[in-house]
Amino acid sequence: MTTASSGTRRHPTAVAPGERGAVRIADRVVAKIAAQAAREVLGPLPKDAVAPHATVAVHHGTARVRVHLELDYPSDIGARCAAVRRHVVERVGALVDMEVREVAVYVERLHPAQTQGRT
């Protein structure tokens, strides 16, 4: 006896994780995450400063990041750049599960602190 389909759908059998395919995250998405991570570390920007931006090259699941930023001066430039590097590695790793092999920080401009009493 043959029965007609009752409109119910069969659930596909479970597919092994290695056979499901892959997710590719665009370089520009990783770059936006890296730039946001730099903003999180730097805090408020100096007056007239441009927000940090990043470029990223992803190859075989690892990223190389270049972050361009502007800092206030005087400040400990080396320590602030090191903090940006650490935070970019941490945030990109946590949010997209990608190893960051290199973070190059380019300080594009220094903004001198405004001294009181000067015109």
Side-chain angles (χ1 to χ4, degrees), residues 50-74:
V50 175
H53 63 279
T55 57
V56 173
V58 177
H59 187 66
H60 296 295
T62 62
R64 296 186 188 278
V65 180
R66 290 189 173 135
V67 179
H68 302 263
L69 48 86
E70 298 181 9
L71 297 173
D72 51 347
Y73 185 80

Side-chain angles (χ1 to χ4, degrees), residues 34-46:
Q36 177 61 37
R39 283 190 291 275
E40 290 170 1
V41 168
L42 295 176
L45 297 174

Side-chain angles (χ1 to χ4, degrees), residues 18-94:
E19 298 175 10
R20 291 182 191 159
V23 174
R24 182 181 177 325
I25 299 171
D27 292 6
R28 70 179 179 267
V29 173
V30 179
K32 286 184 180 186
I33 291 168
Q36 177 61 37
R39 283 190 291 275
E40 290 170 1
V41 168
L42 295 176
L45 297 174
K47 184 179 178 183
D48 299 329
V50 175
H53 63 279
T55 57
V56 173
V58 177
H59 187 66
H60 296 295
T62 62
R64 296 186 188 278
V65 180
R66 290 189 173 135
V67 179
H68 302 263
L69 48 86
E70 298 181 9
L71 297 173
D72 51 347
Y73 185 80
S75 66
D76 187 346
I77 295 169
R80 295 188 78 193
C81 291
V84 167
R85 278 190 214 85
R86 281 190 304 272
H87 198 62
V88 166
V89 168
E90 177 186 308
R91 296 298 286 161
V92 170

